Amino acid sequence: MSESIGDLLPGMRRMGMGRRRMTAVDMTYGAGISDEGADVHSFPEKSMPSRNAYQLIHDSLKFDGDPTLNCATFLTTWMEPEAEKLIIENLGKNRVDIDEYEATERIHRRCLTHLHDLWNGEKGQGATGTVTVGSSEGIMLGGLAMKWRWREHRKAQGKDTSNPNIVFGANAQVALEKTTRYFDIESRLVPVTEESHYCIDIHKALEMIDENTIGMYIILGSTYTGHYEEVALMSKLLDELKAKKGLDIPIHVDGASGAFVAPFSHPDLHWDFRVPCVVSISASGHKFGLTYPGIGWVVWRSPEYLPDGLTFELSYLGGVEKTFTLNFSHPACFLIAQYYQFIRFGREGYARVMNACLYHARLFSVALEATGMYECISDIHRPRGTYGFSEENRLAASQLFFKTINEPVSGADPSPNLNFNYGLPEVAFRFTDWFIETHPTANQDVITTLMRVRGWIIPNYPLPPNMNKLRIMRVVVKEASSEDFVNRLVRDLIWATQTMLDTQSQSLGEALSHPLAKNQSTSNLAHKVAKSNTKTMDGQEKHSHWRNILAKIGELKEGDSGKKDAPEMALTNNNRSKTVYEKSC
């Protein structure tokens, strides 16, 4: 018989634990923090073994959501092992130390040159720009540059410089408003409307411009709905304004997401330096640039649009460096990872990724609307020029989608996108008016909470001011989102919707006690749901259609008789169906 546990478990001997008594600090669980317990409100007095510190943090982070199932975020959640290896190898490098890390600075300049070319900068002209922590810093730098140029111009004319303003839509991301608040610029928010697709109304924006306007922010990919704002048309109106009133108003394009989508999926769209009024562009490398956070970019049309006063020369790192970023130190590893993605994918690879993202987003959109319970506020799945939900538009979108996917084209070919509206691979959706009328106490917050039961993170939020009575849910489709991802998302959303209805006639425990049938496959589920609704339907037909969908995925419950029970239906005086759910409210 063995004399020690170390003989039985050789691995413990290798750890030095086979021939001695285990002490409190050796224990990962039970006594791994300190003898005095954990006080999270004060700096730790004592040290602990490295493995204990690791395990403590590792376990606490298990309460985070799964990044892959986080449908709210635009951020990259997956990179190839080779890219991750480069990140780990370069974690200790500070990008700003260009004298010490000369090769890293060459990579920085190459990335800027690639972006200058990608965004159709003037051929033969060097790139003017910088890497940033994210697109928020790029937005701020773009705004500062416009303010300084406006101020210099006003001073040269002997005019007042105390009241600068900038015009942008109320659908703006918070970084735009931070710029105005932090740098003393009046923000003139243009209300959004359904007619403007919940983005800036460019004609109303024109009315807000005056001699104190330093420029405009135009958003290529609204965070709320994924729509692109009309950069080229806004530029045309500004040119007309200049000819009429002499006001020279530049545009900074907030391309946080769209600047890495549009060049590959919609090369026909003019939004970049091909547009005369565009003087600077910012983008997030850690969104559809396909790199882990945090990295962003800002590029100017030419050096004249970056005032010299914003540039500093530093020499205390060993060489002379020019800097115009808001922060100083910056990790080099994510810059290197961005360069890896550029040379790894190239235009062809990025086009394949973006086309796949748009395909999956359109599939999800068509399947959602086919249920009869949801309508999309986003319009990327609709025929070019068709906006908003109606039965006619729903059928047109479905027909176009299935027609397009049956056409043999290369995965990198952007031509199928020409038939659809411009936009990000983002799906913004809500209950249909019919569903709300039929189930007046239905709550989208319940849907998002139930989806968390299945691991999904889906936000439910109001649209911008003056449209904020309308709440929408959002799913951002990213590189790591496969067709199986969409199938399971559709299945679980249908489950959450029916569970919400069931809880009005049962307890929550009873409603949740009927999980999805284990023998039901999700293979091609999104396609099957999307194809299931090919005609306009009245209310009674929509109820029957919903029951058919539930039957297909095993969501109808087995009754005592062995038959599958559908929700109880009754006819009201206004000839519409009423469920147990509504009766119990």
Side-chain angles (χ1 to χ4, degrees), residues 20-282:
R20 62 186 176 85
R21 183 177 180 181
M22 186 179 293
T23 63
V25 293
D26 286 323
M27 298 170 62
T28 298
Y29 294 102
I33 300 175
S34 72
D35 293 338
E36 300 172 2
D39 183 359
V40 297
H41 301 293
S42 60
F43 196 87
E45 293 293 335
K46 297 182 178 181
S47 60
M48 69 171 69
S50 58
R51 71 171 182 274
N52 291 17
Y54 166 81
Q55 197 67 47
L56 178 70
I57 298 171
H58 172 81
D59 289 351
S60 68
L61 290 175
K62 289 180 179 179
F63 291 97
D64 280 347
D66 184 340
T68 305
L69 300 183
N70 183 0
C71 300
T73 184
F74 288 84
L75 270 60
T76 297
T77 58
W78 177 86
M79 292 186 75
E80 292 175 323
E82 293 80 3
E84 293 183 340
K85 185 178 180 182
L86 282 170
I87 290 172
I88 293 171
E89 289 173 352
N90 293 279
L91 277 173
K93 289 185 180 179
N94 187 359
R95 185 203 67 79
V96 299
D97 193 349
I98 61 176
D99 190 59
E100 181 71 23
Y101 305 122
E102 183 182 347
T104 298
E105 178 57 20
R106 285 200 299 271
I107 286 177
H108 178 215
R109 300 308 306 175
R110 287 173 189 169
C111 286
L112 288 171
T113 300
H114 291 339
L115 292 174
H116 178 82
D117 175 64
L118 182 66
W119 297 336
N120 291 289
E122 185 178 337
K123 299 295 183 183
Q125 179 176 275
T128 301
T130 184
V131 66
T132 59
V133 174
S135 63
S136 294
E137 185 183 0
I139 288 166
M140 293 180 186
L141 289 169
L144 272 176
M146 290 193 294
K147 179 183 178 181
W148 278 54
R149 291 191 75 245
W150 168 85
R151 187 173 62 189
E152 290 170 0
H153 181 69
R154 296 280 288 179
K155 283 182 178 179
Q157 295 179 322
K159 295 182 178 180
D160 177 59
T161 62
S162 62
N163 298 300
N165 69 70
I166 190 167
V167 178
F168 54 91
N171 59 310
Q173 196 256 3
V174 69
L176 281 69
E177 295 191 62
K178 283 184 177 181
T179 303
T180 62
R181 186 179 300 181
Y182 293 171
F183 302 120
D184 293 324
I185 305 170
E186 177 194 351
S187 60
R188 294 190 173 178
L189 298 180
V190 184
V192 304
T193 63
E194 185 176 355
E195 292 71 27
S196 67
H197 318 310
Y198 312 100
C199 292
I200 191 172
D201 185 319
I202 58 177
H203 298 286
K204 290 181 180 178
L206 207 63
E207 298 171 0
M208 295 185 175
I209 293 172
D210 60 24
E211 64 177 359
N212 288 318
T213 302
I214 67 171
M216 295 188 68
Y217 282 131
I218 303 296
I219 304 168
L220 194 73
S222 172
T223 300
Y224 288 90
T225 62
H227 290 94
Y228 291 163
E229 295 185 337
E230 299 177 290
V231 183
L233 184 53
M234 188 73 249
S235 178
K236 179 182 178 182
L237 294 177
L238 290 176
D239 283 339
E240 294 173 357
L241 181 68
K242 182 179 181 180
K244 183 178 180 181
K245 296 186 177 182
L247 299 177
D248 187 7
I249 309 298
I251 291 175
H252 174 91
V253 175
D254 171 14
S257 296
F260 277 112
V261 176
F264 308 109
S265 62
H266 296 105
D268 62 307
L269 179 65
H270 284 217
W271 62 272
D272 48 23
F273 292 126
R274 289 172 290 182
V275 178
C277 290
V278 173
V279 300
S280 52
I281 299 170
S282 57

Side-chain angles (χ1 to χ4, degrees), residues 446-456 492 495 508 512:
V446 174
I447 298 296
T448 59
T449 301
L450 287 170
M451 290 298 281
R452 277 186 176 264
V453 173
R454 295 290 174 92
W456 302 98
D492 289 349
W495 167 82
L508 179 61
L512 292 176

